[in-house]
Amino acid sequence: MVTHQALSGSTDEEFLQRMVQTYGERFGEDFWACFTEHVAPFLPARPVIIDLGCGPGLLLRDLGERYPQATLYGYDVTPAMIAHGQQLTSTGARPTLALHDVGTQPLPQAAGTVHLVTMTSVLHVVDEPLRVLTEIRRVLVPGGVFLLHDWIRMPLKTYLERRRDSMGEDETASLRRGFRLFPVHCKYTPEDWQWLLARAGFTIQYQTQLRPTHEMFVATPA
Ligand SMILES: C[S@@+](CC[C@H](N)C(=O)[O-])C[C@H]1O[C@@H](n2cnc3c(N)ncnc32)[C@H](O)[C@@H]1O
């Protein structure tokens, strides 16, 4: 597996800090409005939730505050992300966080025991996404939700301009990282994601773009 850090030339600590700093933009009011309308109706009062590639653990912290009786799990392959999540304070349910490579390891949960699996900006880096999707489908209860939010293909010019404008990097660094990351971030079209979800046995209940760079899918086992 080629990591984002290796491609971008960032250290794990720099990657972690970027994920922490941009969390509020990525999971803002529009995200929670969408969650409330399209995901929450599928969940019981005591949901079991997994965040795959959970990064700094901030989404799980906020889910734990919304669902204080939830059982939460977060898995990530980067030790600095898990360490950050483990020292967060929260007034809600506390997640179990563990180092775990979702691309190569099965999920620890038994079949049909999870109400929600979330995955944000992770599946595009996994070499064999169908294996991961099959594993997600295995652990979901009937009527459970897979919330996929991931990069979509865009023209090179658009991608490079967005990076330069949003990352605050100088032109040289922006171009160097941009050319390395373009084939990784811009790998799948929305239609490719639809096809992958259908192929893995999911029905898409809702689909939207909260940002022009990402597509969000609310999917349930077919
Ligand atoms: C762009 S970050 C997104 C983090 C988090 N989902 C968020 O949106 O704040 C991608 C995360 O996926 C993790 N990741 C990448 N490949 C992974 C894998 N095979 N298994 C588990 N985590 C992985 C990275 O370590 C990183 O924390």
Side-chain angles (χ1 to χ4, degrees), residues 2-221:
V2 181
T3 63
H4 175 284
Q5 298 91 307
L7 282 165
S8 67
S10 317
T11 64
D12 284 3
E13 190 56 35
E14 287 166 341
F15 187 29
L16 164 67
Q17 290 311 326
R18 197 155 59 246
M19 289 299 106
V20 171
Q21 282 158 11
T22 56
Y23 175 75
E25 295 160 26
R26 294 179 298 113
F27 295 91
E29 277 180 26
D30 53 353
F31 171 81
W32 289 108
C34 183
F35 185 93
T36 301
E37 188 172 353
H38 298 284
V39 179
F42 289 94
L43 303 183
R46 297 175 167 219
V48 178
I49 299 176
I50 308 177
D51 190 17
L52 294 180
C54 62
L58 296 165
L59 176 62
L60 284 167
R61 177 200 62 190
D62 289 351
L63 285 167
E65 290 183 352
R66 284 177 168 247
Y67 294 94
Q69 295 181 306
T71 304
L72 305 171
Y73 300 96
Y75 301 122
D76 202 286
V77 80
T78 305
M81 299 288 184
I82 294 298
H84 184 274
Q86 284 171 337
Q87 53 77 50
L88 287 175
T89 54
S90 156
T91 56
R94 288 193 62 81
T96 301
L97 301 175
L99 270 180
H100 184 99
D101 182 345
V102 299
T104 57
Q105 296 174 281
L107 294 172
Q109 285 74 18
T113 57
V114 177
H115 301 96
L116 172 64
V117 176
T118 59
M119 201 170 193
T120 303
S121 304
V122 185
L123 195 54
H124 68 276
V125 295
V126 171
D127 291 336
E128 293 185 61
L130 279 174
R131 282 177 51 172
V132 180
L133 291 171
T134 301
E135 190 55 10
I136 293 169
R137 198 180 182 293
R138 179 186 71 78
V139 300
L140 282 175
V141 298
V145 176
F146 174 43
L147 179 60
L148 172 66
H149 198 189
D150 215 318
W151 284 90
I152 49 173
R153 192 173 301 166
M154 69 195 86
L156 175 65
K157 179 171 179 287
T158 310
Y159 178 75
L160 293 177
E161 286 173 356
R162 281 188 192 286
R163 279 195 75 80
R164 185 196 57 209
D165 297 343
S166 67
M167 306 284 288
E169 293 171 330
D170 69 58
E171 183 83 12
T172 310
S174 179
L175 281 176
R176 195 182 63 238
R177 288 185 170 155
F179 277 116
R180 284 183 180 179
L181 289 169
F182 173 70
V184 181
H185 285 153
C186 297
K187 188 170 176 184
Y188 297 118
T189 64
E191 293 74 24
D192 293 333
W193 287 123
Q194 286 171 344
W195 181 83
L196 282 167
L197 287 166
R199 178 70 197 264
F202 285 96
T203 300
I204 296 169
Q205 304 289 346
Y206 180 72
Q207 177 178 344
T208 191
Q209 272 186 28
L210 300 180
R211 290 177 277 156
T213 52
H214 285 61
E215 191 87 10
M216 182 182 280
F217 299 90
V218 176
T220 52

